[in-house]
Amino acid sequence: MKSFRALSALLSYPNEELIAALPEIDAVLQAEGLLGPKRMEEIRRLLQELRQGDLYDLQERYVLLFDRSRSLSLNLFEHVHGESRDRGGAMVDLLETYRAGGFDLVGSELPDHLPVLLEYLSTRPLAEAEALLADASHILVALAERLTRRETAYAGVLSALVALVVTEPAELPEELAAVPDDDPEDLAALDAVWEEAQVTFGPDPNAGCPVSRDILARMDAPRVANPAQ
């Protein structure tokens, strides 16, 4: 469903292409009706902030949230595997799942980057997409709660994803609940946390984020490994 692509775009780095695509993103979410009225109300708060905010301020806030705060990282395996060897194996498995579905990475984001996962899910049947998303439900719950505590409108996107795959109130796993909120302003602590470089699985580390580029065009044109097939 295109709704997953729309949510993917809303979680991507704000740029002029994203701002221009906001009316279409809103229209897609309304037309498909995947989200209930409460979740759409929360999403519209983010749409309004993106539409009315200064682009540089929006970009700075995004970086503070998702790039400088490890507890809010959109790389899902970061929350369960950290820098262990298991993370590499899980990453390869996910990459193979993408390729088997005719979906190939074209940028520098890791396979477990949530916007990338959501874009892949937009190419799959709804039942399959929800099942794959449910595998990460405990991480989504943790991110939704942490973003809610930060009082950021991005919490609406994560809450919407949780609502899609969690039928009963979920108890946050102990190991995730124990993770303290980090301070994105504490640069020394952040340098220590991020001192190990991440492995790049995309073919071109200079290609930029595949989610935020040409959003309007890609709403109707899924990215595939071999378009001729």
Side-chain angles (χ1 to χ4, degrees), residues 51-84:
R51 189 161 41 237
Q52 297 179 352
D54 176 81
L55 181 58
Y56 293 106
D57 289 341
L58 294 171
Q59 291 172 340
E60 181 180 14
R61 283 190 293 177
Y62 182 93
V63 169
L64 285 173
L65 274 176
F66 299 118
D67 294 341
R68 286 191 179 178
S69 178
R70 189 170 188 173
S71 65
L72 294 176
S73 173
L74 294 179
N75 292 330
L76 300 178
F77 294 157
E78 177 70 33
H79 300 280
V80 290
H81 297 305
E83 299 299 331
S84 71

Side-chain angles (χ1 to χ4, degrees), residues 11-31:
L11 287 177
S12 67
Y13 181 74
N15 57 22
E16 292 179 354
E17 289 81 4
L18 173 60
I19 304 306
L22 291 178
E24 184 171 355
I25 290 171
D26 191 12
V28 164
L29 293 173
Q30 289 189 70

